[in-house]
């Protein structure tokens, strides 16, 4: 697929999405707190941030696995949180997820063939020999072979299990896949293979991905655009190259400065931005910028008002009071 001319930039629209969880009597955990972004058809949007920043909750709410507290998620104009019955079931055919942990996400008592065919069976897509052929095709598509269909998950390595998870997601021919940290649990040597497989499948089927990760270097490799989350909010969003070459938000700058450089001379001489202070709790957060306690540029307004998420340069959005006048 030619990505130079990504059209339909409103394939997925996430508008002011919030997902809160009640914890205790008067406490609200604001895991996702007013996040907005679009995903273009056929692109990969990377979503990064430290653990606990809300990126996984965001991905699951975009997919409808969690109900939204507020806001909308539109897939081709339809709000997926308003779907019911048959329409909701139909939506699950179009939107799938690949989970982080290939060990926990596969039922150990089911054969690989039956795991892959779960979606096929739910939607009644194929039966008998056609079902078997479809399973074989999917196994080959992800670099496994048909002999693997009768085996059980424990007989496979981590990378192979993730391939099974990918085959399961592809079985219903989805348009959109949330890849929820699909490589975090894998050996570094295997990570690139799985990422390359995802890219190959995207090119083949025109898939759209929301790729969630905390490893910024791998996100750069796969993503067309990248969004950075901090404590339930989106702080910056830009084309992948632009974000890595010209980060604007103090938090993004700190995250990028922590990526090791393979050249030892460069690595030894470069300046790392150390994040000061603790990550605050997402439970009953204070007003103002969520990053204020760790930001060396903080000014009084930062503790009082939450910065707006604004387009500062073409398709480069940032939420920071340093850019209020731009
Ligand atoms: Fe720092 Fe203020 Fe910008 Fe937040 S809004 S990142 S505290 S300068």
């Amino acid at each position: 697929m030619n990505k130079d001319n990504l059209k339909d930039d409103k394939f997925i629209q996430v508008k002011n999405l919030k997902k809160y969880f009640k914890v205790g009597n008067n406490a609200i955990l604001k895991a996702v707190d007013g996040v907005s972004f679009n995903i273009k058809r056929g692109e990969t949007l990377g979503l990064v941030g430290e653990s606990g920043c809300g990126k996984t909750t965001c991905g699951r709410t975009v997919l409808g696995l969690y109900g939204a507290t507020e806001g909308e998620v539109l897939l081709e104009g339809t709000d997926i949180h308003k779907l019911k019955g048959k329409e909701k079931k139909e939506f699950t055919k179009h939107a799938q997820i690949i989970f982080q942990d290939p060990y926990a996400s596969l039922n150990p008592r089911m054969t690989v063939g039956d795991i892959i065919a779960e979606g096929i069976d739910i939607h009644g897509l194929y039966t008998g020999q056609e079902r078997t052929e479809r399973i074989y095709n999917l196994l080959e598509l992800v670099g496994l072979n048909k002999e693997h269909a009768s085996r059980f998950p424990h007989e496979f390595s981590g990378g192979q299990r993730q391939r099974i998870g990918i085959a399961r997601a592809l079985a219903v021919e989805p348009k959109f896949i949330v890849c929820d940290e699909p490589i975090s649990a894998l050996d570094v040597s295997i990570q690139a293979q799985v990422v390359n497989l995802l890219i190959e499948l995207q090119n083949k089927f025109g898939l759209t991905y929301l790729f969630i990760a905390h490893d910024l270097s791998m996100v750069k490799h796969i993503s067309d655009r990248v969004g950075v989350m901090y404590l339930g909010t989106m702080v910056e969003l830009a084309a992948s190259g632009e974000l890595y070459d010209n980060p604007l938000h103090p938090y993004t700058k700190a995250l990028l400065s922590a990526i090791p450089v393979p050249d030892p001379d460069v690595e030894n001489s470069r300046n790392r931005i150390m994040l000061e202070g603790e990550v605050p709790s997402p439970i009953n957060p204070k007003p103002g910028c969520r990053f204020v306690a760790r930001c060396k540029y903080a000014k009084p307004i930062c503790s009082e008002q939450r910065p707006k998420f604004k387009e500062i340069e073409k398709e480069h959005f940032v939420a920071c009071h340093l850019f209020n006048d731009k």
Side-chain angles (χ1 to χ4, degrees):
M1 178 172 183
N2 180 6
K3 288 198 170 193
D4 296 340
N5 191 17
L6 286 167
K7 296 246 172 74
D8 191 4
D9 60 356
K10 293 186 176 160
F11 178 59
I12 292 170
Q13 297 172 78
V14 177
K15 299 184 178 178
N16 194 29
L17 189 66
K18 297 183 182 177
K19 179 63 193 173
Y20 296 171
F21 297 95
K22 229 178 148 201
V23 282
N25 282 343
N26 291 315
I28 307 267
L29 189 154
K30 299 189 174 181
V32 179
D33 197 15
V35 164
S36 300
F37 57 88
N38 290 351
I39 310 179
K40 302 174 192 185
R41 189 190 296 273
E43 83 165 340
T44 298
L45 180 74
L47 204 54
V48 298
E50 293 164 294
S51 68
C53 72
K55 55 191 188 303
T56 286
T57 306
C58 182
R60 291 182 182 201
T61 314
V62 166
L63 208 56
L65 296 178
Y66 294 147
T69 305
E70 215 180 298
E72 292 181 323
V73 177
L74 309 180
L75 175 75
E76 297 180 306
T78 301
D79 188 346
I80 64 121
H81 287 285
K82 294 205 172 121
L83 298 176
K84 293 203 168 71
K86 259 190 185 168
E87 285 177 336
K88 194 168 183 179
K89 190 173 170 191
E90 188 65 18
F91 165 74
T92 63
K93 229 167 81 186
H94 300 312
Q96 288 285 311
I97 185 165
I98 297 165
F99 291 100
Q100 173 179 359
D101 187 347
Y103 293 92
S105 66
L106 306 179
N107 186 336
R109 290 188 200 86
M110 286 170 76
T111 64
V112 165
D114 285 340
I115 288 170
I116 291 174
E118 267 181 304
I120 293 173
D121 297 342
I122 289 169
H123 293 283
L125 299 179
Y126 301 99
T127 53
Q129 191 54 30
E130 277 188 341
R131 177 183 181 274
T132 308
E133 289 299 327
R134 177 79 180 136
I135 293 167
Y136 292 168
N137 287 342
L138 286 159
L139 282 166
E140 275 167 26
L141 202 59
V142 298
L144 298 171
N145 61 59
K146 59 184 185 181
E147 282 74 41
H148 291 136
S150 55
R151 301 211 196 145
F152 289 88
H154 72 266
E155 299 175 58
F156 294 86
S157 67
Q160 286 175 319
R161 289 185 212 205
Q162 200 52 295
R163 287 173 189 269
I164 295 165
I166 293 169
R168 174 175 60 183
L170 288 176
V172 291
E173 298 180 28
K175 305 174 188 174
F176 172 53
I177 300 181
V178 172
C179 306
D180 182 11
E181 302 217 39
I183 53 170
S184 306
L186 303 178
D187 284 353
V188 177
S189 57
I190 308 295
Q191 288 182 354
Q193 290 175 17
V194 171
V195 165
N196 288 336
L197 173 64
L198 287 169
I199 294 172
E200 194 186 308
L201 295 169
Q202 180 175 51
N203 291 337
K204 195 162 186 169
F205 299 114
L207 297 166
T208 303
Y209 292 147
L210 178 61
F211 190 92
I212 299 167
H214 61 260
D215 178 336
L216 274 92
S217 42
M218 205 51 94
V219 168
K220 183 182 181 185
H221 181 58
I222 191 172
S223 305
D224 299 289
R225 292 184 302 139
V226 175
V228 180
M229 282 189 72
Y230 186 79
L231 267 190
T233 65
M234 183 82 86
V235 298
E236 189 159 2
L237 173 67
S240 183
E242 163 73 6
L243 188 96
Y244 284 78
D245 294 343
N246 180 29
L248 299 177
H249 195 280
Y251 178 61
T252 312
K253 287 183 180 179
L255 273 188
L256 290 175
S257 85
I259 302 179
V261 176
D263 181 331
D265 293 335
V266 179
E267 177 64 17
N268 289 337
S269 61
R270 74 200 181 92
N271 281 334
R272 286 200 174 184
I273 304 170
M274 301 307 287
L275 284 174
E276 311 249 318
E278 299 286 310
V279 182
S281 166
I283 298 173
N284 296 343
K286 294 184 183 139
C289 172
R290 297 275 161 87
F291 191 56
V292 68
R294 304 170 86 190
C295 181
K296 64 179 178 181
Y297 305 102
K299 39 190 189 173
I301 192 177
C302 301
S303 308
E304 292 154 16
Q305 278 180 31
R306 185 161 152 190
K308 288 205 171 87
F309 192 57
K310 283 176 32 179
E311 190 170 15
I312 304 296
E313 291 162 20
K314 192 167 168 18
E315 294 220 38
H316 192 157
F317 297 81
V318 66
C320 173
H321 287 302
L322 295 177
F323 300 93
N324 269 359
D325 304 331
K326 303 222 171 167

